[in-house]
């Protein structure tokens, strides 16, 4: 297994854990856990593959990610009660999955020779759509639109870091590392220390 | 018309009725009924065809399902006021549509020579995504994530029953029947008698 | 630039403004504005291209629409505070974007030689799915399912007007104009004067 396949699998695993945690908050059964874990873990990459017309979709070509997602579902089903706060763990695992998935998306798009804007978009799409689908299906306010938290911004910056490093050094490993570190640092800093870009502030009502 | 085409059309018809009932709960006009009926009826199979890269999508190749969905919308628009409880009828028609759509999805995937996990997934996707789209667009909590009700589990078991029977007897009709009966029995037993797998139970707060 | 490309870009621009306004209501940062603007602006056409297997998707073939959407996001980020009611402006810009996107969808489908029902559906899908995605991701009740407002009906009538005019006069410009004027007139009349088809009315409770 190459380092790159390992990355793909890691993104699937961590996103699957978040999907299973969302299922635990809805008190679903084991199959419901596996469904939501798989939807979250495979959703972003599936959107990317459909948009790029990559054929077959990655988890149809190799069903290992499906197995990983189901394994993660089983693990969470039997251990989630040990956690103090499932929502906190979900948010932090999501923060860990996002950078890995962005890196996987950027690499997949850059392999197929896409232009810079499309590579950036595919990084964002791969990183963001899994969690977005999870939140929509679980009927929660998407993490992605929470006010004052970096999410798409972290994904975009990570994808940009990949492209900059790859242009300057001929090392894919370094580019992937830069992507993951930058994206995670921004997201984690946002969650932990409130880092953020200025957000839109509506005009205060006139007195 | 073969028995199999009849099955496809039956799934479209029954899901379209549920979509139109959802539209009646939102007090839409006749075109709104047709939109939500078509989205529900065609959504699952469309997701399946996009994932499998089946081309053209089934209702573009043959628009009969569109006509069926619109007919169902008209029927419900003029008769839904006769029902005692539209939500109950919607839930039970959904329980009837699910097994038929799972069977159609399993058959379509197994025709294209997919592996066992992919055939199971396609059965689940075809069965579940139409109703999921209906509930998300209609801004309702998806039926699929209601606590303590078998839904994805029923779909998975039905798809599994198809594969088991097809492997043991060389009769597709029997396999389809096994799929539909098993899936409907589980879903109906869950709705009527509360059958279910153990669901995740959070740890009670410490006293 | 042909008149037709100008139309495509106009639909992208106006839908992007609505997406950015939705982002302002969620108090997102600039990248969040660009994400929601792009999702809204490109969503409908992307669904159309995936369904028709048009390859590559329009904004991958030519990323100009992405640039337009991001420009619209920046504009709204710095000027939305000047508006009296962002929700009202959003609704009316959406009413303007719908007809243009329907026209773009109808033309794209009719170029690829689709049958009449499929051309109508593609007009509706291109017009409606961008706004639908915006509302679902922003966790709002979709504009499309608001009781007593013409939305899908306006899209369908506009798409029908295109086909009728194109069959009677050999002028695409006239057909596009008929589509846009009809669709906008119905939607605007619905918003301003309460025009509507009869909506489904549940039976009053028995006394």
């Amino acid at each position: 297994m190459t380092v790159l396949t390992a990355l793909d699998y890691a993104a699937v695993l961590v996103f699957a854990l978040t999907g299973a945690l969302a299922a635990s908050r809805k008190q679903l059964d084991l199959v419901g856990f596996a469904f939501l874990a798989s939807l979250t873990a495979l959703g972003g990459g599936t959107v990317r593959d459909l948009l790029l017309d990559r054929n077959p979709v990655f988890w149809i070509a190799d069903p290992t990610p499906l197995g990983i997602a189901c394994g993660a579902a089983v693990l969470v089903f039997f251990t989630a009660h040990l956690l103090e706060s499932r929502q906190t763990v979900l948010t932090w695992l999501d923060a860990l999955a996002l950078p890995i998935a962005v890196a996987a998306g950027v690499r997949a798009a850059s392999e197929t020779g896409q232009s810079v804007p499309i590579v950036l978009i595919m990084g964002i799409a791969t990183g963001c759509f899994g969690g977005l689908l999870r939140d929509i299906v679980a009927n929660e306010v998407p993490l992605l639109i929470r006010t004052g938290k970096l999410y798409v911004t972290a994904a975009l910056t990570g994808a940009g870091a990949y492209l900059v490093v790859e242009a300057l050094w001929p090392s894919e490993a370094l580019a992937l590392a830069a992507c993951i570190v930058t994206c995670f640092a921004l997201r984690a800093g946002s969650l932990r220390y409130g880092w953020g870009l200025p957000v839109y502030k509506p005009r205060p009502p006139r007195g």
Side-chain angles (χ1 to χ4, degrees), chain A:
Chain A
M1 189 164 71
T2 64
V3 174
L4 298 172
T5 312
L7 260 186
D8 281 350
Y9 291 176
V12 165
L13 172 65
V14 187
F15 262 135
L17 294 172
T18 71
L21 282 169
S24 83
R25 286 165 51 86
K26 301 290 153 185
Q27 300 188 32
L28 300 184
D29 62 27
L30 188 50
V31 181
F33 272 61
F35 179 83
L36 211 46
S38 302
L39 188 77
T40 310
L42 311 177
T46 303
V47 168
R48 175 200 62 204
D49 286 357
L50 290 176
L51 290 173
L52 292 181
D53 201 41
R54 278 159 57 105
N55 229 312
V57 170
F58 74 104
W59 51 269
I60 295 182
D62 162 23
T64 311
L66 266 175
I68 293 173
C70 292
V74 172
L75 179 71
V76 171
F77 188 79
F78 289 109
T79 62
H81 65 281
L82 302 173
L83 302 171
E84 275 299 318
S85 162
R86 280 168 291 138
Q87 183 59 44
T88 305
V89 175
L90 192 163
T91 303
W92 279 96
L93 285 174
D94 185 273
L96 185 59
L98 177 68
I100 312 180
V102 168
V106 165
R107 193 179 60 80
S110 103
E111 257 184 18
T112 56
Q114 300 294 334
S115 64
V116 166
I118 303 303
V119 169
L120 292 173
I121 297 289
M122 291 302 151
I124 294 172
T126 311
C128 295
F129 274 95
L132 198 53
L133 283 170
R134 174 197 64 215
D135 295 342
I136 289 171
V137 169
N139 210 29
E140 305 270 1
V141 179
L143 282 182
L144 185 145
I145 63 162
R146 302 278 169 86
T147 300
K149 302 290 181 210
L150 300 175
Y151 200 105
V152 188
T153 307
L156 173 64
T157 313
Y162 179 97
L163 290 178
V164 169
V165 171
E166 201 199 25
L168 301 178
W169 290 274
S171 155
E172 187 168 42
L174 204 64
L176 288 170
C179 171
I180 291 171
V181 169
T182 311
C183 177
F184 181 75
L186 287 178
R187 177 78 181 138
S190 165
L191 289 172
R192 184 74 183 76
Y193 302 109
W195 296 358
L197 290 181
V199 300
Y200 174 79
K201 284 269 175 26
R203 168 172 68 173
R206 285 175 228 172

